[in-house]
Amino acid sequence: MYTLPKIERFNQNVLSKYHIYNSVFITLPFDAIDNTGVLLPLFSEVCESGFKNNWSPKQIVDFFADKYLDKATEEQKIDLMFRFIQYVERQIVLFDAIEDAAFPIVNNLEGRGSLRDIKEKTEAKDKRKELIDFLETFNVRTVLTAHPTQFYPGSVLGIITDLTEAVKVNNLIKIKQLLAQLGKTPFIKKEKPTPFDEAVSLIWYLENVFYQTIGEMMQYLQKNIFEGNIIENPIINLGFWPGGDRDGNPFVTPEITENVAKRLRTSILKCYYFDVRNLKRKLTFNEVDTIISGLEFKLYRSVFYSQGEVFITLEELKNELNIVKQIIIDKHQSLYLDEINLLLQKITQFGFHFASLDIRQNSKIHNQVFDDIVAFLKREKELYFPEDFDSMSETDKMEVVSKLKFNLNHHFFENELTRSTLDTIKLMREIQNDNGEKGCNRYIISNNESALNVIETFAMFRLLNWENPTVDIIPLFESVDDLQKAHEIMAQLYQNVAYRNHLKERKDKQTVMLGFSDGTKDGGYLMANWSIFKAKEMITKISREYGIKVIFFDGRGGPPARGGGKTNKFYASLGSTIENQAIQVTVQGQTISSNFGTLDSCRYNLENLLSAGVANEIFNKDENNLTESEKAIIDTLAELGYKKYIDFKNHPKFIPYLEQMSTLKYYAKANIGSRPSKRNTDDQLNFADLRAIPFVSSWSQMKQNVPGFFGVGTALKYFETNNRWEEVQSLYNNSLFFRTLLENTMMSLAKSNFALTAYMKNDPEFGEFWQIIFNEFLETKRLLLKIAGHTELMQNYPDGKASIAMREQIVLPLLTIQQYASSQINALKKQSTFDEKLVSTYEKLVTRSLFGNTNASRNSA
């Protein structure tokens, strides 16, 4: 049977269904005034036609009120706008559920990038042995972070799940019931979640999606690649930041970390319990039935009656199941052998830890903590510590610090930061004892600026009597300057005798994390991406020289401005000059729910990441390597883009524009996450302390998406005006890396809508600044269409383009309301006296509108 093109499958199974079910939704009476659902489509039409006619949001709202509302007061208009926002939020949920339900129809789960595709390609090219060798050491690690970009409370996520299942089978009665429930369920979180709350929310995905998906993927590889043998290498594994990420989050305490680790262990034991219970119904034969009953009882007690006590060890669980497996093979014709192998593979995969709880802290905090420790060591008479330590060179300091031997376990530090930092390190050892080494064996140093930052952290472990810590200490390089000197820092570390001995204990492996978000905020889109690519090349080179296998961990996620977009294509494009030991990537917020929220989408995206690693090593190892002349072209583009972005960032109106015209100051008011929106507590906005997520999100809310494109048009134009266009055109045609880079910029442009803020060009203070942004947008769009040979953005991804267009259409009324309220606030505040209560109401309107816009864009922040 003929398979319809992807866009037609999308139109039939997503767009058409949305229009049908939305027509049901807007007729449901949710409030005393039941005409909200009737008025919203009319308001949406006025918004669309108004922006085409260059109207401001105020003109649109006023026109709508005059035409459709009977002499409404401002209070009545505001009340209706709040109700419009509530409707739009729920329309987005409906669209999400329909799109999730259609995922396996729109996307080919057995096509390019799937495990089946990997198997067939390796067989066709006679590379089965190379594939097995590669998979015995390679892994994909998705790390779930607590970064706050998901506004749905748990109750709404539950409705989305149920709605998705109802849409799959077109159960109209159930759908109508769930839409009615959705209309009456609050979307607002009255209080900020704690880090433990965030952890519990994400553990839902571990239990209900990742556990089953990863288990099935590993079983496929076991049966089709590894000839039925249990795979010892956990090819797909999970990382976890909620409860361990202390950077800038004062609410993450050692107690929280301990509770999250316990919850992770209980959750995986619960998954094993349900699997064993299902096996018990099948394994009703002599000998095995009593073993399975015993396992079920011990797991049940550990999950439901334990209060922290576990009544079975990991080894006991494995051994008992292996005994069952052998009896089944020997005496019962291998009946249900697949199910036993699947559970054994899951246990090998997840242990008693489920996901590895990473600890992260900022180097600036470590500096304070270590200064406190040094002051104590200087006072301590039993230990020689050089008095001139502070004036020593960095190399000499590293030498002293790496050799320190002292037991701080019983010393009480007055400084709470010092105490909690050391307590967290002690706790890592306890978690390893309870959950296994993988339970908590990575310590990430964010804002890492020197080799001494790493050595000081390493020393803190040893000063707590952990001589050979079973922990990977991971520097995170974020700013453009830090990325450019990262390889020099790694060389210093490799030369330090004590640290090199530590790496030998860690199997000569060193993980290095590279952050996209702050790099983009710091240096713009092109420079951030290119700096990371070059840093990876240089770190790979220096690591190979010292006999170290470097593993890169990427702080990606969400939109292109934060390193997201077509992530798997980036990894498939890197070539042999960048070490390919693993693909490790952060995912957060609505990227978790959109990319990994269902069994189908989770499988699809994990398989694509694994496929990217395989393709890079087995099929295209040297094909994607950039030539020196190609690198020189990207160098020039990055430098030109960087200069344009830095000039823009240094514009005197840059900070005032963000403060007064964007939604930045409202972001902290939304109870979305436990983490503060900036690292400092001052009222004044300090750009260096501003977090990347609210920074990117603020541009996204205005539909300007500056971090995802600014400087790209200027850089490309240089080649056009200097008769060098053929060079960048050839680069685009031949380099997957460069093409992916620009395709992700096209996504940023496709999600922009400058008609929304066009009224700002007439603002006496910010009009010129708005025009700078718009001009760069136009130039970037023109030249990207030229280099791609397209007439429309994302022309080669018609289904993605259609999804974005529909989401933007749904959210347009909400955005109009946001800009209307924002402009009213600014107008009122310019008056000598103004109604503070009215300003406060408008501010609530702006804050309220943040939710739907972020959720609609799915990877907007």
Side-chain angles (χ1 to χ4, degrees), residues 161-218:
T161 303
D162 293 342
L163 195 52
T164 300
E165 292 306 310
V167 169
K168 278 183 181 177
V169 294
N170 294 315
N171 185 339
L172 189 56
I173 294 172
K174 182 70 172 172
I175 290 166
K176 190 170 181 179
Q177 192 177 45
L178 287 164
L179 290 175
Q181 181 187 349
L182 187 67
K184 295 179 178 294
T185 301
F187 272 49
I188 298 296
K189 295 176 180 177
K190 293 178 182 177
E191 295 178 355
K192 271 182 172 292
T194 67
F196 185 74
D197 294 333
E198 291 170 330
V200 170
S201 294
L202 291 189
I203 287 171
W204 185 93
Y205 291 99
L206 299 186
E207 291 179 357
N208 293 283
V209 183
F210 284 100
Y211 179 73
Q212 184 176 332
T213 303
I214 293 175
E216 289 175 355
M217 286 176 65
M218 293 301 292

Side-chain angles (χ1 to χ4, degrees), residues 322-340:
N322 274 311
I323 290 169
V324 169
K325 177 179 173 179
Q326 198 57 50
I327 294 171
I328 289 292
I329 293 170
D330 294 342
K331 299 183 179 180
H332 300 291
Q333 295 77 46
S334 297
L335 199 57
Y336 299 121
L337 181 62
D338 278 354
E339 285 88 338
I340 298 167

Side-chain angles (χ1 to χ4, degrees), residues 530 626-636 719 724 727-728 730-731:
W530 186 232
L626 293 163
T627 65
E628 290 306 311
S629 60
E630 287 173 334
K631 288 179 182 178
I633 293 168
I634 304 178
D635 259 330
T636 304
F719 281 81
R724 296 179 62 186
E727 294 176 42
V728 288
S730 174
L731 181 63

